[in-house]
Amino acid sequence: MSLIQSLKLVMSPPHPAARPFLLASGAGALIGRALPFRATKLAGTACGLFFGFCLYFFRDPNRVVPADPHAVVAPADGHVVSVEKIAPPPELDMGNAPVWRIATFLSVLDVHVNRMPAAGTVTRVAYHAGQFLNASLDKASELNERNAVRLTLPDGRNMAVVQIAGLIARRILCDAEEGMKYEKGERFGLIRFGSRTDLYLPEGVEPLVEVGQTMTGGETVMARL
């Protein structure tokens, strides 16, 4: 990545979910620094640092989605921690047959906006309460708090995207609702602060990525339909 591309990424406008954090920390920074007390100035400085962190964490850069209609793109930024065949989450009613699951871990330094891996219609959204284990652990897919989305493709096949809360992440945001239609690469949610996103491919579709590979949400091709 070039210096210009890096600057554009860092300076991307924040996701709307950042507004309450930016307002609170920004007000705290201004008030704290304005008051003539050492303690309030220190608090104001801390608020200012948190304001800068929120600007960085909630950045929402535009992405160039591949034109290939058969491409399945990464639903999140981060690095792949698991590629294996496993049954989809039971709450999605996708059957018990194992399919390829690609798990992507997002650190606090990654862009946390989630994007649809393909064009299709949301036919199920299911929230599952759970724990807040380290999202890089394989058991996080089953034990952690998660929000699962089933996407039905135009040809009738199903795939799924599962947003998983992590050790620090305690809030999953999902704008997708049943019946909504999405284009490939379109934003549908966000997880804060540090998390994991699992992609379940349709039966018969093979992954094109491997463990350790870095993903760019909405751009990296993970499979081809």
mmCIF file of all heavy atoms in Angstrom, residues 36 96 158 167-168:
data_model
loop_
_atom_site.group_PDB
_atom_site.id
_atom_site.type_symbol
_atom_site.label_atom_id
_atom_site.label_comp_id
_atom_site.label_asym_id
_atom_site.label_seq_id
_atom_site.Cartn_x
_atom_site.Cartn_y
_atom_site.Cartn_z
ATOM 1 N N PRO A 36 -9.592 25.470 34.566
ATOM 2 C CA PRO A 36 -8.241 25.773 35.078
ATOM 3 C C PRO A 36 -7.766 24.807 36.165
ATOM 4 O O PRO A 36 -7.193 25.230 37.182
ATOM 5 C CB PRO A 36 -8.412 27.186 35.633
ATOM 6 C CG PRO A 36 -9.813 27.199 36.135
ATOM 7 C CD PRO A 36 -10.604 26.356 35.166
ATOM 8 N N ASN A 96 -27.450 -29.414 7.956
ATOM 9 C CA ASN A 96 -26.306 -29.889 8.731
ATOM 10 C C ASN A 96 -25.105 -30.292 7.873
ATOM 11 O O ASN A 96 -24.074 -30.694 8.401
ATOM 12 C CB ASN A 96 -26.723 -31.086 9.592
ATOM 13 C CG ASN A 96 -27.795 -30.722 10.602
ATOM 14 O OD1 ASN A 96 -27.747 -29.648 11.209
ATOM 15 N ND2 ASN A 96 -28.765 -31.606 10.787
ATOM 16 N N ASN A 158 -27.707 -20.571 -0.832
ATOM 17 C CA ASN A 158 -27.551 -19.763 0.379
ATOM 18 C C ASN A 158 -26.095 -19.678 0.804
ATOM 19 O O ASN A 158 -25.321 -20.617 0.644
ATOM 20 C CB ASN A 158 -28.359 -20.364 1.533
ATOM 21 C CG ASN A 158 -29.857 -20.242 1.327
ATOM 22 O OD1 ASN A 158 -30.361 -19.191 0.957
ATOM 23 N ND2 ASN A 158 -30.575 -21.336 1.560
ATOM 24 N N LEU A 167 -13.232 -10.352 22.623
ATOM 25 C CA LEU A 167 -12.850 -10.083 24.002
ATOM 26 C C LEU A 167 -13.141 -8.639 24.389
ATOM 27 O O LEU A 167 -13.559 -8.349 25.507
ATOM 28 C CB LEU A 167 -11.354 -10.382 24.174
ATOM 29 C CG LEU A 167 -10.768 -10.265 25.577
ATOM 30 C CD1 LEU A 167 -11.384 -11.315 26.489
ATOM 31 C CD2 LEU A 167 -9.253 -10.434 25.531
ATOM 32 N N ILE A 168 -12.926 -7.719 23.449
ATOM 33 C CA ILE A 168 -13.158 -6.294 23.699
ATOM 34 C C ILE A 168 -14.485 -5.849 23.104
ATOM 35 O O ILE A 168 -15.192 -5.017 23.675
ATOM 36 C CB ILE A 168 -12.009 -5.447 23.106
ATOM 37 C CG1 ILE A 168 -10.670 -5.887 23.718
ATOM 38 C CG2 ILE A 168 -12.226 -3.966 23.367
ATOM 39 C CD1 ILE A 168 -9.468 -5.202 23.106
#
